[in-house]
Tab-separated table of all heavy atoms in Angstrom:
chain	number	residue	atom	x	y	z
A	282	GLU	N	-1.039	5.551	15.235
A	282	GLU	CA	-0.233	4.928	16.278
A	282	GLU	C	-1.169	4.298	17.305
A	282	GLU	O	-1.895	5.000	18.005
A	282	GLU	CB	0.678	5.967	16.952
A	282	GLU	CG	1.650	6.631	15.970
A	282	GLU	CD	2.468	7.747	16.600
A	282	GLU	OE1	2.316	7.962	17.827
A	282	GLU	OE2	3.231	8.404	15.884
A	283	ARG	N	-1.187	2.963	17.339
A	283	ARG	CA	-2.063	2.211	18.237
A	283	ARG	C	-3.523	2.648	18.092
A	283	ARG	O	-4.255	2.824	19.059
A	283	ARG	CB	-1.609	2.356	19.697
A	283	ARG	CG	-0.199	1.832	19.940
A	283	ARG	CD	0.191	1.904	21.403
A	283	ARG	NE	0.182	3.265	21.909
A	283	ARG	CZ	1.177	4.137	21.736
A	283	ARG	NH1	2.257	3.778	21.065
A	283	ARG	NH2	1.096	5.350	22.236
A	284	GLY	N	-3.912	2.856	16.839
A	284	GLY	CA	-5.290	3.195	16.539
A	284	GLY	C	-5.639	4.659	16.659
A	284	GLY	O	-6.782	5.045	16.390
A	285	ILE	N	-4.680	5.508	17.045
A	285	ILE	CA	-4.896	6.949	17.202
A	285	ILE	C	-4.204	7.677	16.050
A	285	ILE	O	-3.048	7.393	15.723
A	285	ILE	CB	-4.338	7.454	18.549
A	285	ILE	CG1	-5.001	6.711	19.718
A	285	ILE	CG2	-4.511	8.963	18.676
A	285	ILE	CD1	-6.496	6.883	19.804
A	286	ALA	N	-4.913	8.617	15.431
A	286	ALA	CA	-4.310	9.447	14.392
A	286	ALA	C	-3.542	10.594	15.051
A	286	ALA	O	-4.114	11.349	15.850
A	286	ALA	CB	-5.380	9.991	13.456
A	287	VAL	N	-2.261	10.704	14.725
A	287	VAL	CA	-1.399	11.709	15.352
A	287	VAL	C	-0.797	12.598	14.267
A	287	VAL	O	-0.221	12.100	13.295
A	287	VAL	CB	-0.268	11.047	16.165
A	287	VAL	CG1	0.521	12.111	16.918
A	287	VAL	CG2	-0.819	10.002	17.118
A	289	ARG	N	1.826	15.839	14.058
A	289	ARG	CA	2.789	16.609	14.852
A	289	ARG	C	3.395	17.732	14.007
A	289	ARG	O	3.573	17.593	12.803
A	289	ARG	CB	3.896	15.700	15.367
A	289	ARG	CG	3.434	14.605	16.333
A	289	ARG	CD	4.613	13.782	16.823
A	289	ARG	NE	4.227	12.796	17.839
A	289	ARG	CZ	3.905	11.531	17.572
A	289	ARG	NH1	3.908	11.101	16.320
A	289	ARG	NH2	3.571	10.699	18.544
A	353	VAL	N	-1.767	17.303	17.124
A	353	VAL	CA	-3.152	16.856	17.298
A	353	VAL	C	-3.183	15.339	17.412
A	353	VAL	O	-2.619	14.637	16.570
A	353	VAL	CB	-4.054	17.297	16.121
A	353	VAL	CG1	-5.490	16.837	16.359
A	353	VAL	CG2	-4.000	18.804	15.915
A	354	TRP	N	-3.849	14.846	18.468
A	354	TRP	CA	-4.153	13.425	18.621
A	354	TRP	C	-5.669	13.274	18.516
A	354	TRP	O	-6.408	13.952	19.238
A	354	TRP	CB	-3.708	12.895	19.973
A	354	TRP	CG	-2.225	12.769	20.178
A	354	TRP	CD1	-1.481	11.632	20.036
A	354	TRP	CD2	-1.315	13.787	20.618
A	354	TRP	NE1	-0.150	11.886	20.343
A	354	TRP	CE2	-0.031	13.203	20.705
A	354	TRP	CE3	-1.466	15.137	20.933
A	354	TRP	CZ2	1.093	13.919	21.100
A	354	TRP	CZ3	-0.352	15.865	21.322
A	354	TRP	CH2	0.914	15.256	21.409
A	355	THR	N	-6.146	12.398	17.636
A	355	THR	CA	-7.586	12.248	17.461
A	355	THR	C	-7.954	10.800	17.158
A	355	THR	O	-7.251	10.124	16.395
A	355	THR	CB	-8.116	13.160	16.331
A	355	THR	OG1	-9.525	12.900	16.129
A	355	THR	CG2	-7.372	12.952	15.030
A	356	PRO	N	-9.053	10.313	17.742
A	356	PRO	CA	-9.485	8.950	17.422
A	356	PRO	C	-10.241	8.853	16.107
A	356	PRO	O	-10.361	7.765	15.542
A	356	PRO	CB	-10.387	8.594	18.602
A	356	PRO	CG	-10.950	9.896	19.050
A	356	PRO	CD	-9.862	10.922	18.809
A	383	PRO	N	7.603	14.122	26.580
A	383	PRO	CA	6.871	12.859	26.446
A	383	PRO	C	5.702	12.693	27.408
A	383	PRO	O	4.710	12.023	27.081
A	383	PRO	CB	7.952	11.805	26.705
A	383	PRO	CG	9.227	12.462	26.285
A	383	PRO	CD	9.062	13.899	26.694
A	384	VAL	N	5.782	13.281	28.590
A	384	VAL	CA	4.693	13.148	29.568
A	384	VAL	C	3.391	13.721	29.017
A	384	VAL	O	2.299	13.306	29.411
A	384	VAL	CB	5.084	13.838	30.895
A	384	VAL	CG1	3.942	13.809	31.905
A	384	VAL	CG2	6.311	13.156	31.498
A	385	TYR	N	3.476	14.674	28.066
A	385	TYR	CA	2.281	15.316	27.513
A	385	TYR	C	1.722	14.556	26.306
A	385	TYR	O	1.048	15.149	25.452
A	385	TYR	CB	2.588	16.745	27.079
A	385	TYR	CG	3.255	17.629	28.102
A	385	TYR	CD1	4.079	18.679	27.692
A	385	TYR	CD2	3.071	17.441	29.462
A	385	TYR	CE1	4.701	19.505	28.618
A	385	TYR	CE2	3.693	18.261	30.393
A	385	TYR	CZ	4.507	19.290	29.962
A	385	TYR	OH	5.126	20.107	30.880
A	386	ASP	N	1.956	13.273	26.216
A	386	ASP	CA	1.450	12.477	25.104
A	386	ASP	C	-0.079	12.491	25.116
A	386	ASP	O	-0.712	11.998	26.048
A	386	ASP	CB	1.965	11.039	25.240
A	386	ASP	CG	1.598	10.153	24.069
A	386	ASP	OD1	0.708	10.538	23.275
A	386	ASP	OD2	2.189	9.070	23.946
A	387	GLY	N	-0.668	13.068	24.074
A	387	GLY	CA	-2.116	13.226	24.038
A	387	GLY	C	-2.874	11.996	23.595
A	387	GLY	O	-4.114	12.030	23.522
A	388	SER	N	-2.178	10.885	23.300
A	388	SER	CA	-2.870	9.692	22.821
A	388	SER	C	-3.804	9.113	23.870
A	388	SER	O	-4.811	8.477	23.534
A	388	SER	CB	-1.855	8.635	22.364
A	388	SER	OG	-1.056	8.196	23.452
A	389	THR	N	-3.487	9.320	25.157
A	389	THR	CA	-4.359	8.781	26.205
A	389	THR	C	-5.710	9.496	26.217
A	389	THR	O	-6.743	8.872	26.468
A	389	THR	CB	-3.690	8.903	27.576
A	389	THR	OG1	-3.324	10.271	27.809
A	389	THR	CG2	-2.441	8.030	27.646
A	390	PHE	N	-5.719	10.789	25.956
A	390	PHE	CA	-6.995	11.500	25.860
A	390	PHE	C	-7.753	11.063	24.611
A	390	PHE	O	-8.972	10.842	24.651
A	390	PHE	CB	-6.762	13.010	25.858
A	390	PHE	CG	-6.555	13.585	27.236
A	390	PHE	CD1	-5.285	13.887	27.694
A	390	PHE	CD2	-7.634	13.807	28.074
A	390	PHE	CE1	-5.089	14.403	28.962
A	390	PHE	CE2	-7.449	14.330	29.346
A	390	PHE	CZ	-6.173	14.623	29.801
A	391	ALA	N	-7.047	10.930	23.475
A	391	ALA	CA	-7.705	10.479	22.252
A	391	ALA	C	-8.272	9.075	22.417
A	391	ALA	O	-9.367	8.762	21.922
A	391	ALA	CB	-6.716	10.533	21.089
A	392	ARG	N	-7.552	8.228	23.115
A	392	ARG	CA	-8.038	6.876	23.412
A	392	ARG	C	-9.399	6.912	24.112
A	392	ARG	O	-10.247	6.032	23.914
A	392	ARG	CB	-7.017	6.181	24.315
A	392	ARG	CG	-7.397	4.817	24.861
A	392	ARG	CD	-6.502	4.476	26.047
A	392	ARG	NE	-6.777	5.325	27.207
A	392	ARG	CZ	-5.940	5.482	28.240
A	392	ARG	NH1	-4.777	4.873	28.255
A	392	ARG	NH2	-6.276	6.261	29.256
A	393	ASP	N	-9.621	7.967	24.906
A	393	ASP	CA	-10.848	8.085	25.692
A	393	ASP	C	-11.844	9.069	25.082
A	393	ASP	O	-12.713	9.605	25.780
A	393	ASP	CB	-10.504	8.484	27.124
A	393	ASP	CG	-9.721	7.390	27.837
A	393	ASP	OD1	-9.991	6.210	27.568
A	393	ASP	OD2	-8.844	7.716	28.651
A	394	GLY	N	-11.702	9.338	23.775
A	394	GLY	CA	-12.713	10.102	23.065
A	394	GLY	C	-12.552	11.602	23.058
A	394	GLY	O	-13.505	12.331	22.757
A	395	VAL	N	-11.338	12.105	23.352
A	395	VAL	CA	-11.069	13.546	23.373
A	395	VAL	C	-9.998	13.871	22.338
A	395	VAL	O	-8.962	13.214	22.285
A	395	VAL	CB	-10.590	14.007	24.771
A	395	VAL	CG1	-10.157	15.465	24.752
A	395	VAL	CG2	-11.682	13.785	25.806
A	397	CYS	N	-6.977	15.891	21.431
A	397	CYS	CA	-5.996	16.620	22.246
A	397	CYS	C	-5.058	17.401	21.349
A	397	CYS	O	-4.502	16.855	20.382
A	397	CYS	CB	-5.209	15.631	23.112
A	397	CYS	SG	-4.045	16.432	24.250
A	674	PHE	N	-2.202	12.914	32.434
A	674	PHE	CA	-2.059	12.370	31.078
A	674	PHE	C	-2.016	10.840	31.058
A	674	PHE	O	-1.943	10.264	29.974
A	674	PHE	CB	-0.801	12.933	30.423
A	674	PHE	CG	-0.976	14.314	29.850
A	674	PHE	CD1	-0.793	15.436	30.634
A	674	PHE	CD2	-1.346	14.488	28.523
A	674	PHE	CE1	-0.966	16.716	30.111
A	674	PHE	CE2	-1.521	15.752	27.987
A	674	PHE	CZ	-1.336	16.870	28.786
A	675	ASP	N	-2.059	10.205	32.221
A	675	ASP	CA	-1.946	8.747	32.309
A	675	ASP	C	-0.686	8.264	31.589
A	675	ASP	O	-0.703	7.312	30.810
A	675	ASP	CB	-3.190	8.072	31.731
A	675	ASP	CG	-3.239	6.570	32.031
A	675	ASP	OD1	-2.447	6.105	32.890
A	675	ASP	OD2	-4.046	5.862	31.401
A	676	THR	N	0.412	8.947	31.876
A	676	THR	CA	1.709	8.586	31.292
A	676	THR	C	2.727	8.305	32.386
A	676	THR	O	3.932	8.486	32.194
A	676	THR	CB	2.214	9.717	30.379
A	676	THR	OG1	2.181	10.968	31.106
A	676	THR	CG2	1.367	9.847	29.122
A	699	HIS	N	-6.952	10.837	35.532
A	699	HIS	CA	-7.153	11.018	34.095
A	699	HIS	C	-8.640	10.965	33.746
A	699	HIS	O	-9.130	11.793	32.954
A	699	HIS	CB	-6.380	9.939	33.332
A	699	HIS	CG	-6.587	9.972	31.855
A	699	HIS	ND1	-6.058	10.952	31.045
A	699	HIS	CD2	-7.285	9.142	31.034
A	699	HIS	CE1	-6.402	10.722	29.789
A	699	HIS	NE2	-7.151	9.632	29.758
Side-chain angles (χ1 to χ4, degrees):
E282 300 175 3
R283 299 184 299 279
I285 302 299
V287 186
R289 296 182 175 93
V353 181
W354 289 262
T355 176
V384 176
Y385 308 152
D386 185 345
S388 64
T389 55
F390 279 101
R392 174 198 69 198
D393 294 325
V395 173
C397 184
F674 279 87
D675 191 13
T676 52
H699 176 72

